[in-house]
Amino acid sequence: MDGGAADEHLVQEAEKIAVALGRMFPGLCEVVLHDLRDPDRSIRAIENNLSTRQVGDPATELGLSRIADPAFPDVVQNYPNRFPDGRPAKSTSIGIKNAEGRYIAALCLNLDVSVLSPVALTLANLVATDRGHGDTPLETLRDRHARELRRAVEEFSAERGAPPRSLSRPDKKALVQQLNRDGYFESRDAAQTIADLLGVSRATIYNYAKPPSDP
């Protein structure tokens, strides 16, 4: 088997692994196989497409770094990342070298941390002890950041035992109205952040935020 055929065989074997891993964690972990022999059309396979990329899309910066430097680390593990809609992710990238020691592929896993956050929060609430609470000073709503907004959404979701995107329509509407009452809509880009977290349009968020009509 010549070098080109051997490299293709390795990539085909890696593709089997990518498909199997993706199907083991449906909706939770995106698995992407990059063919680094063709950086302009690097993505060879993608399972659980959470990043909206497509087969044939180009290599990432990390892939280009591997192409440029065979000494680049084989495994870059558990680094923080984000999907295009703002959801947090935990990523791992595994480089695959041929017999000549040149990177020809990379297997990348992107775990959707936002799906697990409500579960972790529920467990944290379950084991938490009462520390006692004094007078809580009023906070300035204008300075709230997206992180605080996400936490408010995750707390609401955890109380209902579901990820934000899996909440029912009435629950999403109740959440948006609660956030509106609490002043989160005074923050810049709050509506778009909430829309991304709930998986709905910005127009839907403004519709949910309207107070109920008087009978």
Side-chain angles (χ1 to χ4, degrees):
M1 184 181 295
D2 62 33
D7 289 356
E8 178 61 23
H9 177 73
L10 276 176
V11 175
Q12 289 178 1
E13 292 299 298
E15 188 169 353
K16 294 179 188 176
I17 297 172
V19 172
L21 284 174
R23 292 179 182 177
M24 187 172 180
F25 302 103
L28 181 63
C29 185
E30 177 184 76
V31 184
V32 185
L33 177 65
H34 289 275
D35 186 342
L36 300 182
R37 299 171 300 173
D38 186 5
D40 292 333
R41 294 179 52 83
S42 161
I43 294 183
R44 174 82 169 246
I46 184 166
E47 289 287 322
N48 296 329
N49 191 340
L50 302 176
S51 62
T52 70
R53 291 176 292 175
Q54 302 295 329
V55 171
D57 280 356
T60 62
E61 294 87 346
L62 197 153
L64 295 175
S65 297
R66 282 201 170 104
I67 294 171
D69 182 10
F72 193 88
D74 291 344
V75 179
V76 183
Q77 193 161 19
N78 294 336
Y79 59 92
N81 210 339
R82 262 188 201 284
F83 293 111
D85 63 4
R87 282 175 295 161
K90 183 171 78 170
S91 298
T92 291
S93 177
I94 306 165
I96 299 170
K97 290 181 177 179
N98 62 9
E100 299 171 356
R102 178 169 52 87
Y103 282 114
I104 60 169
L107 185 63
C108 302
L109 295 87
N110 302 307
L111 181 68
D112 185 354
V113 180
S114 71
V115 175
L116 302 176
S117 294
V119 177
L121 185 59
T122 299
L123 293 175
N125 289 337
L126 183 64
V127 301
T129 55
D130 188 359
R131 304 175 188 173
H133 302 281
D135 293 334
T136 304
L138 295 176
E139 59 183 355
T140 302
L141 301 177
R142 297 180 188 276
D143 295 330
R144 284 178 170 165
H145 298 298
R147 186 189 312 174
E148 294 172 285
L149 180 54
R150 288 192 178 92
R151 181 170 180 80
V153 171
E154 289 171 358
E155 287 178 346
F156 183 97
S157 302
E159 291 173 358
R160 284 152 181 79
R165 291 184 167 221
S166 297
L167 291 171
S168 66
R169 184 179 181 275
D171 279 344
K172 288 181 179 180
K173 187 172 183 178
L175 169 58
V176 171
Q177 291 181 353
Q178 176 182 309
L179 294 174
N180 192 18
R181 288 192 301 269
D182 291 344
Y184 281 99
F185 277 76
E186 296 181 20
S187 301
R188 186 178 180 182
D189 297 329
Q192 187 60 58
T193 300
I194 299 168
D196 291 340
L197 290 170
L198 298 185
V200 298
S201 69
R202 185 172 178 174
T204 298
I205 294 300
Y206 283 121
N207 185 49
Y208 285 169
K210 293 178 182 177
S213 302
D214 293 332

